[in-house]
PDB file of all heavy atoms in Angstrom:
ATOM      1  N   ALA E   1     -13.102   3.487   8.294  1.00  0.00           N
ATOM      2  CA  ALA E   1     -13.484   2.078   8.175  1.00  0.00           C
ATOM      3  C   ALA E   1     -12.267   1.270   7.727  1.00  0.00           C
ATOM      4  O   ALA E   1     -11.682   1.566   6.687  1.00  0.00           O
ATOM      5  CB  ALA E   1     -14.616   1.928   7.166  1.00  0.00           C
ATOM      6  N   PRO E   2     -11.843   0.268   8.512  1.00  0.00           N
ATOM      7  CA  PRO E   2     -10.657  -0.493   8.096  1.00  0.00           C
ATOM      8  C   PRO E   2     -10.914  -1.340   6.858  1.00  0.00           C
ATOM      9  O   PRO E   2     -11.913  -2.027   6.766  1.00  0.00           O
ATOM     10  CB  PRO E   2     -10.365  -1.375   9.315  1.00  0.00           C
ATOM     11  CG  PRO E   2     -11.640  -1.448  10.058  1.00  0.00           C
ATOM     12  CD  PRO E   2     -12.411  -0.197   9.749  1.00  0.00           C
ATOM     13  N   GLU E   3     -10.020  -1.221   5.903  1.00  0.00           N
ATOM     14  CA  GLU E   3     -10.091  -2.035   4.687  1.00  0.00           C
ATOM     15  C   GLU E   3      -9.137  -3.207   4.863  1.00  0.00           C
ATOM     16  O   GLU E   3      -8.015  -3.043   5.323  1.00  0.00           O
ATOM     17  CB  GLU E   3      -9.670  -1.205   3.478  1.00  0.00           C
ATOM     18  CG  GLU E   3      -9.738  -1.960   2.182  1.00  0.00           C
ATOM     19  CD  GLU E   3      -9.288  -1.096   1.013  1.00  0.00           C
ATOM     20  OE1 GLU E   3      -9.604   0.092   0.985  1.00  0.00           O
ATOM     21  OE2 GLU E   3      -8.606  -1.649   0.138  1.00  0.00           O
ATOM     22  N   VAL E   4      -9.574  -4.395   4.507  1.00  0.00           N
ATOM     23  CA  VAL E   4      -8.753  -5.587   4.664  1.00  0.00           C
ATOM     24  C   VAL E   4      -7.939  -5.814   3.390  1.00  0.00           C
ATOM     25  O   VAL E   4      -8.459  -5.698   2.281  1.00  0.00           O
ATOM     26  CB  VAL E   4      -9.641  -6.817   4.980  1.00  0.00           C
ATOM     27  CG1 VAL E   4      -8.817  -8.086   5.032  1.00  0.00           C
ATOM     28  CG2 VAL E   4     -10.369  -6.599   6.295  1.00  0.00           C
ATOM     29  N   VAL E   5      -6.654  -6.136   3.571  1.00  0.00           N
ATOM     30  CA  VAL E   5      -5.776  -6.419   2.430  1.00  0.00           C
ATOM     31  C   VAL E   5      -6.234  -7.743   1.818  1.00  0.00           C
ATOM     32  O   VAL E   5      -6.335  -8.756   2.510  1.00  0.00           O
ATOM     33  CB  VAL E   5      -4.304  -6.504   2.871  1.00  0.00           C
ATOM     34  CG1 VAL E   5      -3.404  -6.838   1.690  1.00  0.00           C
ATOM     35  CG2 VAL E   5      -3.868  -5.208   3.535  1.00  0.00           C
ATOM     36  N   PRO E   6      -6.524  -7.759   0.507  1.00  0.00           N
ATOM     37  CA  PRO E   6      -7.025  -8.988  -0.126  1.00  0.00           C
ATOM     38  C   PRO E   6      -5.943 -10.071  -0.220  1.00  0.00           C
ATOM     39  O   PRO E   6      -4.747  -9.763  -0.161  1.00  0.00           O
ATOM     40  CB  PRO E   6      -7.458  -8.523  -1.517  1.00  0.00           C
ATOM     41  CG  PRO E   6      -6.741  -7.253  -1.757  1.00  0.00           C
ATOM     42  CD  PRO E   6      -6.462  -6.639  -0.427  1.00  0.00           C
ATOM     43  N   PRO E   7      -6.338 -11.316  -0.391  1.00  0.00           N
ATOM     44  CA  PRO E   7      -5.353 -12.391  -0.578  1.00  0.00           C
ATOM     45  C   PRO E   7      -4.475 -12.105  -1.793  1.00  0.00           C
ATOM     46  O   PRO E   7      -4.929 -11.549  -2.790  1.00  0.00           O
ATOM     47  CB  PRO E   7      -6.221 -13.631  -0.819  1.00  0.00           C
ATOM     48  CG  PRO E   7      -7.561 -13.284  -0.293  1.00  0.00           C
ATOM     49  CD  PRO E   7      -7.711 -11.802  -0.410  1.00  0.00           C
ATOM     50  N   GLY E   8      -3.207 -12.472  -1.687  1.00  0.00           N
ATOM     51  CA  GLY E   8      -2.282 -12.279  -2.805  1.00  0.00           C
ATOM     52  C   GLY E   8      -1.784 -10.855  -2.960  1.00  0.00           C
ATOM     53  O   GLY E   8      -1.273 -10.494  -4.011  1.00  0.00           O
ATOM     54  N   HIS E   9      -1.907 -10.026  -1.905  1.00  0.00           N
ATOM     55  CA  HIS E   9      -1.491  -8.629  -1.967  1.00  0.00           C
ATOM     56  C   HIS E   9      -0.739  -8.224  -0.697  1.00  0.00           C
ATOM     57  O   HIS E   9      -0.904  -8.853   0.353  1.00  0.00           O
ATOM     58  CB  HIS E   9      -2.697  -7.709  -2.131  1.00  0.00           C
ATOM     59  CG  HIS E   9      -3.338  -7.792  -3.470  1.00  0.00           C
ATOM     60  ND1 HIS E   9      -4.100  -8.865  -3.866  1.00  0.00           N
ATOM     61  CD2 HIS E   9      -3.318  -6.936  -4.514  1.00  0.00           C
ATOM     62  CE1 HIS E   9      -4.540  -8.657  -5.103  1.00  0.00           C
ATOM     63  NE2 HIS E   9      -4.072  -7.496  -5.503  1.00  0.00           N
ATOM     64  N   LEU E  10       0.059  -7.160  -0.818  1.00  0.00           N
ATOM     65  CA  LEU E  10       0.744  -6.540   0.313  1.00  0.00           C
ATOM     66  C   LEU E  10       0.342  -5.070   0.369  1.00  0.00           C
ATOM     67  O   LEU E  10       0.121  -4.445  -0.668  1.00  0.00           O
ATOM     68  CB  LEU E  10       2.262  -6.610   0.142  1.00  0.00           C
ATOM     69  CG  LEU E  10       2.927  -7.967   0.096  1.00  0.00           C
ATOM     70  CD1 LEU E  10       4.388  -7.828  -0.322  1.00  0.00           C
ATOM     71  CD2 LEU E  10       2.822  -8.647   1.449  1.00  0.00           C
ATOM     72  N   PHE E  11       0.256  -4.522   1.571  1.00  0.00           N
ATOM     73  CA  PHE E  11       0.017  -3.093   1.738  1.00  0.00           C
ATOM     74  C   PHE E  11       1.335  -2.486   2.185  1.00  0.00           C
ATOM     75  O   PHE E  11       1.874  -2.847   3.228  1.00  0.00           O
ATOM     76  CB  PHE E  11      -1.082  -2.847   2.780  1.00  0.00           C
ATOM     77  CG  PHE E  11      -1.604  -1.446   2.767  1.00  0.00           C
ATOM     78  CD1 PHE E  11      -2.620  -1.085   1.896  1.00  0.00           C
ATOM     79  CD2 PHE E  11      -1.088  -0.485   3.624  1.00  0.00           C
ATOM     80  CE1 PHE E  11      -3.114   0.216   1.882  1.00  0.00           C
ATOM     81  CE2 PHE E  11      -1.562   0.807   3.610  1.00  0.00           C
ATOM     82  CZ  PHE E  11      -2.581   1.159   2.745  1.00  0.00           C
ATOM     83  N   VAL E  12       1.912  -1.601   1.358  1.00  0.00           N
ATOM     84  CA  VAL E  12       3.236  -1.045   1.621  1.00  0.00           C
ATOM     85  C   VAL E  12       3.158   0.460   1.811  1.00  0.00           C
ATOM     86  O   VAL E  12       2.342   1.141   1.184  1.00  0.00           O
ATOM     87  CB  VAL E  12       4.230  -1.387   0.487  1.00  0.00           C
ATOM     88  CG1 VAL E  12       4.458  -2.891   0.386  1.00  0.00           C
ATOM     89  CG2 VAL E  12       3.766  -0.845  -0.853  1.00  0.00           C
ATOM     90  N   LEU E  13       4.020   0.972   2.700  1.00  0.00           N
ATOM     91  CA  LEU E  13       4.089   2.401   2.974  1.00  0.00           C
ATOM     92  C   LEU E  13       5.542   2.837   3.007  1.00  0.00           C
ATOM     93  O   LEU E  13       6.424   2.069   3.407  1.00  0.00           O
ATOM     94  CB  LEU E  13       3.457   2.724   4.339  1.00  0.00           C
ATOM     95  CG  LEU E  13       1.973   2.444   4.510  1.00  0.00           C
ATOM     96  CD1 LEU E  13       1.576   2.648   5.968  1.00  0.00           C
ATOM     97  CD2 LEU E  13       1.146   3.315   3.602  1.00  0.00           C
ATOM     98  N   GLY E  14       5.784   4.096   2.626  1.00  0.00           N
ATOM     99  CA  GLY E  14       7.105   4.683   2.792  1.00  0.00           C
ATOM    100  C   GLY E  14       7.267   5.156   4.223  1.00  0.00           C
ATOM    101  O   GLY E  14       6.286   5.482   4.893  1.00  0.00           O
ATOM    102  N   ASP E  15       8.492   5.196   4.707  1.00  0.00           N
ATOM    103  CA  ASP E  15       8.738   5.657   6.074  1.00  0.00           C
ATOM    104  C   ASP E  15       8.447   7.151   6.227  1.00  0.00           C
ATOM    105  O   ASP E  15       8.028   7.599   7.284  1.00  0.00           O
ATOM    106  CB  ASP E  15      10.190   5.377   6.479  1.00  0.00           C
ATOM    107  CG  ASP E  15      10.451   3.894   6.702  1.00  0.00           C
ATOM    108  OD1 ASP E  15       9.487   3.096   6.694  1.00  0.00           O
ATOM    109  OD2 ASP E  15      11.622   3.526   6.893  1.00  0.00           O
ATOM    110  N   ASN E  16       8.676   7.921   5.193  1.00  0.00           N
ATOM    111  CA  ASN E  16       8.423   9.364   5.198  1.00  0.00           C
ATOM    112  C   ASN E  16       7.044   9.598   4.574  1.00  0.00           C
ATOM    113  O   ASN E  16       6.916   9.915   3.398  1.00  0.00           O
ATOM    114  CB  ASN E  16       9.525  10.072   4.415  1.00  0.00           C
ATOM    115  CG  ASN E  16       9.453  11.570   4.523  1.00  0.00           C
ATOM    116  OD1 ASN E  16       8.581  12.126   5.181  1.00  0.00           O
ATOM    117  ND2 ASN E  16      10.379  12.233   3.861  1.00  0.00           N
ATOM    118  N   ARG E  17       6.009   9.399   5.359  1.00  0.00           N
ATOM    119  CA  ARG E  17       4.628   9.356   4.853  1.00  0.00           C
ATOM    120  C   ARG E  17       4.178  10.625   4.144  1.00  0.00           C
ATOM    121  O   ARG E  17       3.319  10.573   3.269  1.00  0.00           O
ATOM    122  CB  ARG E  17       3.654   9.045   6.007  1.00  0.00           C
ATOM    123  CG  ARG E  17       4.009   7.783   6.751  1.00  0.00           C
ATOM    124  CD  ARG E  17       3.254   6.592   6.238  1.00  0.00           C
ATOM    125  NE  ARG E  17       3.833   5.338   6.655  1.00  0.00           N
ATOM    126  CZ  ARG E  17       3.631   4.753   7.824  1.00  0.00           C
ATOM    127  NH1 ARG E  17       2.862   5.315   8.715  1.00  0.00           N
ATOM    128  NH2 ARG E  17       4.213   3.610   8.101  1.00  0.00           N
ATOM    129  N   GLU E  18       4.725  11.779   4.529  1.00  0.00           N
ATOM    130  CA  GLU E  18       4.280  13.042   3.920  1.00  0.00           C
ATOM    131  C   GLU E  18       4.580  13.120   2.428  1.00  0.00           C
ATOM    132  O   GLU E  18       3.854  13.767   1.687  1.00  0.00           O
ATOM    133  CB  GLU E  18       4.920  14.252   4.627  1.00  0.00           C
ATOM    134  CG  GLU E  18       4.474  14.440   6.057  1.00  0.00           C
ATOM    135  CD  GLU E  18       5.200  13.519   7.029  1.00  0.00           C
ATOM    136  OE1 GLU E  18       6.391  13.209   6.789  1.00  0.00           O
ATOM    137  OE2 GLU E  18       4.582  13.090   8.011  1.00  0.00           O
ATOM    138  N   VAL E  19       5.648  12.457   1.980  1.00  0.00           N
ATOM    139  CA  VAL E  19       6.044  12.564   0.575  1.00  0.00           C
ATOM    140  C   VAL E  19       6.011  11.233  -0.164  1.00  0.00           C
ATOM    141  O   VAL E  19       6.319  11.185  -1.352  1.00  0.00           O
ATOM    142  CB  VAL E  19       7.450  13.191   0.428  1.00  0.00           C
ATOM    143  CG1 VAL E  19       7.477  14.597   0.972  1.00  0.00           C
ATOM    144  CG2 VAL E  19       8.498  12.337   1.097  1.00  0.00           C
ATOM    145  N   SER E  20       5.644  10.162   0.513  1.00  0.00           N
ATOM    146  CA  SER E  20       5.709   8.834  -0.090  1.00  0.00           C
ATOM    147  C   SER E  20       4.491   8.545  -0.968  1.00  0.00           C
ATOM    148  O   SER E  20       3.355   8.818  -0.591  1.00  0.00           O
ATOM    149  CB  SER E  20       5.810   7.777   1.007  1.00  0.00           C
ATOM    150  OG  SER E  20       5.874   6.495   0.438  1.00  0.00           O
ATOM    151  N   TYR E  21       4.753   7.974  -2.127  1.00  0.00           N
ATOM    152  CA  TYR E  21       3.712   7.479  -3.031  1.00  0.00           C
ATOM    153  C   TYR E  21       3.681   5.973  -2.827  1.00  0.00           C
ATOM    154  O   TYR E  21       4.613   5.270  -3.195  1.00  0.00           O
ATOM    155  CB  TYR E  21       4.052   7.841  -4.478  1.00  0.00           C
ATOM    156  CG  TYR E  21       2.981   7.472  -5.462  1.00  0.00           C
ATOM    157  CD1 TYR E  21       1.796   8.189  -5.522  1.00  0.00           C
ATOM    158  CD2 TYR E  21       3.160   6.410  -6.332  1.00  0.00           C
ATOM    159  CE1 TYR E  21       0.802   7.855  -6.426  1.00  0.00           C
ATOM    160  CE2 TYR E  21       2.176   6.068  -7.235  1.00  0.00           C
ATOM    161  CZ  TYR E  21       1.001   6.792  -7.282  1.00  0.00           C
ATOM    162  OH  TYR E  21       0.017   6.452  -8.176  1.00  0.00           O
ATOM    163  N   ASP E  22       2.610   5.476  -2.210  1.00  0.00           N
ATOM    164  CA  ASP E  22       2.588   4.090  -1.774  1.00  0.00           C
ATOM    165  C   ASP E  22       1.179   3.505  -1.887  1.00  0.00           C
ATOM    166  O   ASP E  22       0.359   4.022  -2.647  1.00  0.00           O
ATOM    167  CB  ASP E  22       3.146   3.977  -0.355  1.00  0.00           C
ATOM    168  CG  ASP E  22       2.551   5.002   0.601  1.00  0.00           C
ATOM    169  OD1 ASP E  22       1.347   5.299   0.497  1.00  0.00           O
ATOM    170  OD2 ASP E  22       3.290   5.516   1.447  1.00  0.00           O
ATOM    171  N   SER E  23       0.889   2.480  -1.111  1.00  0.00           N
ATOM    172  CA  SER E  23      -0.403   1.789  -1.205  1.00  0.00           C
ATOM    173  C   SER E  23      -1.586   2.665  -0.812  1.00  0.00           C
ATOM    174  O   SER E  23      -2.714   2.360  -1.163  1.00  0.00           O
ATOM    175  CB  SER E  23      -0.398   0.528  -0.335  1.00  0.00           C
ATOM    176  OG  SER E  23       0.412  -0.457  -0.909  1.00  0.00           O
ATOM    177  N   ARG E  24      -1.356   3.755  -0.110  1.00  0.00           N
ATOM    178  CA  ARG E  24      -2.455   4.681   0.189  1.00  0.00           C
ATOM    179  C   ARG E  24      -2.977   5.316  -1.096  1.00  0.00           C
ATOM    180  O   ARG E  24      -4.127   5.705  -1.181  1.00  0.00           O
ATOM    181  CB  ARG E  24      -1.992   5.778   1.150  1.00  0.00           C
ATOM    182  CG  ARG E  24      -1.634   5.248   2.530  1.00  0.00           C
ATOM    183  CD  ARG E  24      -0.996   6.318   3.359  1.00  0.00           C
ATOM    184  NE  ARG E  24       0.251   6.737   2.718  1.00  0.00           N
ATOM    185  CZ  ARG E  24       0.916   7.843   3.034  1.00  0.00           C
ATOM    186  NH1 ARG E  24       0.463   8.647   3.970  1.00  0.00           N
ATOM    187  NH2 ARG E  24       2.037   8.154   2.426  1.00  0.00           N
ATOM    188  N   HIS E  25      -2.106   5.393  -2.114  1.00  0.00           N
ATOM    189  CA  HIS E  25      -2.481   6.003  -3.396  1.00  0.00           C
ATOM    190  C   HIS E  25      -2.830   4.963  -4.452  1.00  0.00           C
ATOM    191  O   HIS E  25      -3.700   5.189  -5.282  1.00  0.00           O
ATOM    192  CB  HIS E  25      -1.334   6.880  -3.902  1.00  0.00           C
ATOM    193  CG  HIS E  25      -0.887   7.891  -2.905  1.00  0.00           C
ATOM    194  ND1 HIS E  25       0.162   7.671  -2.049  1.00  0.00           N
ATOM    195  CD2 HIS E  25      -1.359   9.117  -2.600  1.00  0.00           C
ATOM    196  CE1 HIS E  25       0.317   8.718  -1.267  1.00  0.00           C
ATOM    197  NE2 HIS E  25      -0.593   9.612  -1.583  1.00  0.00           N
ATOM    198  N   THR E  26      -2.117   3.841  -4.448  1.00  0.00           N
ATOM    199  CA  THR E  26      -2.276   2.845  -5.509  1.00  0.00           C
ATOM    200  C   THR E  26      -3.103   1.640  -5.097  1.00  0.00           C
ATOM    201  O   THR E  26      -3.494   0.848  -5.939  1.00  0.00           O
ATOM    202  CB  THR E  26      -0.899   2.317  -5.967  1.00  0.00           C
ATOM    203  OG1 THR E  26      -0.281   1.647  -4.861  1.00  0.00           O
ATOM    204  CG2 THR E  26      -0.020   3.445  -6.449  1.00  0.00           C
ATOM    205  N   GLY E  27      -3.311   1.487  -3.782  1.00  0.00           N
ATOM    206  CA  GLY E  27      -3.996   0.298  -3.289  1.00  0.00           C
ATOM    207  C   GLY E  27      -2.985  -0.796  -3.003  1.00  0.00           C
ATOM    208  O   GLY E  27      -1.781  -0.640  -3.224  1.00  0.00           O
ATOM    209  N   PRO E  28      -3.452  -1.929  -2.482  1.00  0.00           N
ATOM    210  CA  PRO E  28      -2.542  -3.031  -2.180  1.00  0.00           C
ATOM    211  C   PRO E  28      -1.788  -3.509  -3.420  1.00  0.00           C
ATOM    212  O   PRO E  28      -2.306  -3.469  -4.534  1.00  0.00           O
ATOM    213  CB  PRO E  28      -3.471  -4.127  -1.643  1.00  0.00           C
ATOM    214  CG  PRO E  28      -4.667  -3.395  -1.146  1.00  0.00           C
ATOM    215  CD  PRO E  28      -4.828  -2.213  -2.065  1.00  0.00           C
ATOM    216  N   VAL E  29      -0.567  -3.942  -3.206  1.00  0.00           N
ATOM    217  CA  VAL E  29       0.320  -4.367  -4.290  1.00  0.00           C
ATOM    218  C   VAL E  29       0.194  -5.875  -4.487  1.00  0.00           C
ATOM    219  O   VAL E  29       0.347  -6.639  -3.529  1.00  0.00           O
ATOM    220  CB  VAL E  29       1.781  -4.008  -3.953  1.00  0.00           C
ATOM    221  CG1 VAL E  29       2.730  -4.515  -5.020  1.00  0.00           C
ATOM    222  CG2 VAL E  29       1.933  -2.517  -3.747  1.00  0.00           C
ATOM    223  N   PRO E  30      -0.067  -6.353  -5.705  1.00  0.00           N
ATOM    224  CA  PRO E  30      -0.153  -7.802  -5.939  1.00  0.00           C
ATOM    225  C   PRO E  30       1.204  -8.486  -5.750  1.00  0.00           C
ATOM    226  O   PRO E  30       2.247  -7.903  -6.030  1.00  0.00           O
ATOM    227  CB  PRO E  30      -0.618  -7.920  -7.388  1.00  0.00           C
ATOM    228  CG  PRO E  30      -0.703  -6.560  -7.940  1.00  0.00           C
ATOM    229  CD  PRO E  30      -0.353  -5.575  -6.897  1.00  0.00           C
ATOM    230  N   PHE E  31       1.158  -9.718  -5.282  1.00  0.00           N
ATOM    231  CA  PHE E  31       2.382 -10.509  -5.099  1.00  0.00           C
ATOM    232  C   PHE E  31       3.209 -10.568  -6.380  1.00  0.00           C
ATOM    233  O   PHE E  31       4.429 -10.654  -6.323  1.00  0.00           O
ATOM    234  CB  PHE E  31       2.055 -11.940  -4.674  1.00  0.00           C
ATOM    235  CG  PHE E  31       1.646 -12.103  -3.235  1.00  0.00           C
ATOM    236  CD1 PHE E  31       1.224 -13.329  -2.776  1.00  0.00           C
ATOM    237  CD2 PHE E  31       1.680 -11.049  -2.330  1.00  0.00           C
ATOM    238  CE1 PHE E  31       0.851 -13.524  -1.453  1.00  0.00           C
ATOM    239  CE2 PHE E  31       1.305 -11.210  -1.007  1.00  0.00           C
ATOM    240  CZ  PHE E  31       0.893 -12.459  -0.568  1.00  0.00           C
ATOM    241  N   ALA E  32       2.570 -10.524  -7.535  1.00  0.00           N
ATOM    242  CA  ALA E  32       3.284 -10.632  -8.814  1.00  0.00           C
ATOM    243  C   ALA E  32       4.286  -9.494  -9.002  1.00  0.00           C
ATOM    244  O   ALA E  32       5.250  -9.646  -9.747  1.00  0.00           O
ATOM    245  CB  ALA E  32       2.296 -10.652  -9.968  1.00  0.00           C
ATOM    246  N   ARG E  33       4.084  -8.368  -8.336  1.00  0.00           N
ATOM    247  CA  ARG E  33       5.006  -7.232  -8.462  1.00  0.00           C
ATOM    248  C   ARG E  33       6.084  -7.220  -7.384  1.00  0.00           C
ATOM    249  O   ARG E  33       6.963  -6.370  -7.391  1.00  0.00           O
ATOM    250  CB  ARG E  33       4.212  -5.925  -8.451  1.00  0.00           C
ATOM    251  CG  ARG E  33       3.402  -5.790  -9.734  1.00  0.00           C
ATOM    252  CD  ARG E  33       2.647  -4.493  -9.893  1.00  0.00           C
ATOM    253  NE  ARG E  33       3.279  -3.326  -9.364  1.00  0.00           N
ATOM    254  CZ  ARG E  33       2.614  -2.331  -8.769  1.00  0.00           C
ATOM    255  NH1 ARG E  33       1.312  -2.382  -8.643  1.00  0.00           N
ATOM    256  NH2 ARG E  33       3.248  -1.286  -8.315  1.00  0.00           N
TER     257      ARG E  33
END
């Protein structure tokens, strides 16, 4: 089920997905960060 990125957030991923700790683990990143 596609999840929509909320307003004021970015969804970020590492290029090397197998070892990257990114938005798949932490959720969308707020603009403040």
Side-chain angles (χ1 to χ4, degrees):
E3 181 181 321
V4 175
V5 178
H9 289 73
L10 297 170
F11 194 86
V12 296
L13 296 172
D15 288 352
N16 188 0
R17 305 265 164 82
E18 294 80 33
V19 298
S20 180
Y21 185 73
D22 48 38
S23 288
R24 294 171 298 165
H25 306 95
T26 63
V29 176
F31 284 175
R33 290 184 35 217

